Amino acid sequence: MHQSRFDDVVNGVAEIAKSIKLGSGMEVGTQMGPMVSEEQFERVSSYLEAGQAEGATALAGGGRFGDRGFFIEPTVLINANGNMKVVKEEIFGPVVVAQPFSDLDEIAAKANDTVYGLGAGIWTKDISKAHALAKKLRAGSVYINCYNVFDAALPFGGYKQSGWGREMGHEVLNNYTEVKAVTTLL
């Protein structure tokens, strides 16, 4: 979030995270269930422990929910820097790491400082800035004021360690074609 709005936005996100109802998918009103396995629960828990040990602060969540099952509280971390494990690696759990930025070049550099590049989300009222930032991001999909919107006509795939090639869209045909060059001297 831009540094001028960081506190307001991150506090609002933390309040939403705190309000998410965890429980069994069979219970009416449940909004989020447990991790898929004990192994994933331990993995996400280790990220949260490492992040907080390195100085990140949990505005919401930050650990286990309840005393049974593999539930992780929806977590919002702040005070994280680019060298922390919670910033550098994919957590695959209910964790948001929020960092302020001052300009588009700074946030693009932060976002691109990873070995991954599957998707990125931009929320703004300024569509020109959104497109300027989208151009700078090294991600296979960039969503503006939305996230995870899929259509069979849109190519899907990542940059760097987030994938090779593309699924869907016209680009998928490249996976099933072979190009041949024939050169003749007459």
Side-chain angles (χ1 to χ4, degrees):
M1 286 141 260
H2 191 274
Q3 60 192 12
S4 66
R5 300 291 319 262
F6 184 79
D7 290 338
D8 291 338
V9 173
V10 79
N11 286 322
V13 171
E15 288 306 310
I16 292 169
K18 291 174 187 175
S19 74
I20 294 172
K21 184 175 182 321
L22 278 73
S24 166
M26 302 303 283
E27 293 177 18
V28 175
T30 292
Q31 295 174 297
M32 189 176 85
M35 298 287 94
V36 70
S37 66
E38 182 176 11
E39 179 182 0
Q40 185 61 14
F41 171 83
E42 294 298 335
R43 183 178 186 278
V44 174
S45 295
S46 74
Y47 275 102
L48 294 175
E49 290 167 12
Q52 292 175 77
E54 292 175 326
T57 304
L59 282 184
R64 178 184 201 112
F65 174 80
D67 55 2
R68 293 184 19 208
F70 306 130
F71 294 93
I72 299 281
E73 299 170 309
T75 301
V76 178
L77 296 175
I78 61 169
N79 300 325
N81 66 58
N83 296 320
M84 292 181 175
K85 187 176 177 179
V86 292
V87 173
K88 287 285 194 190
E89 298 182 20
E90 295 178 315
I91 298 173
F92 293 109
V95 181
V96 170
V97 180
Q99 295 177 287
F101 68 92
S102 59
D103 60 46
L104 295 185
D105 289 332
E106 178 187 0
I107 192 60
K110 284 181 178 184
N112 291 332
D113 186 22
T114 178
V115 296
Y116 306 109
L118 186 57
I122 302 169
W123 279 265
T124 182
K125 291 180 182 177
D126 189 331
I127 199 70
S128 295
K129 281 186 181 177
H131 281 284
L133 179 56
K135 185 176 180 179
K136 296 172 185 278
L137 296 176
R138 300 283 302 149
S141 296
V142 178
Y143 303 95
I144 299 173
N145 296 331
C146 61
Y147 204 82
N148 281 345
V149 176
F150 296 100
D151 186 285
L154 296 173
F156 178 79
Y159 285 25
K160 304 179 248 182
Q161 289 186 20
S162 290
W164 296 332
R166 293 292 177 265
E167 299 172 12
M168 304 189 309
H170 182 268
E171 287 76 4
V172 75
L173 298 176
N174 294 332
N175 296 334
Y176 303 101
T177 59
E178 293 181 295
V179 177
K180 182 185 290 185
V182 178
T183 305
T184 304
L185 177 63
L186 298 176

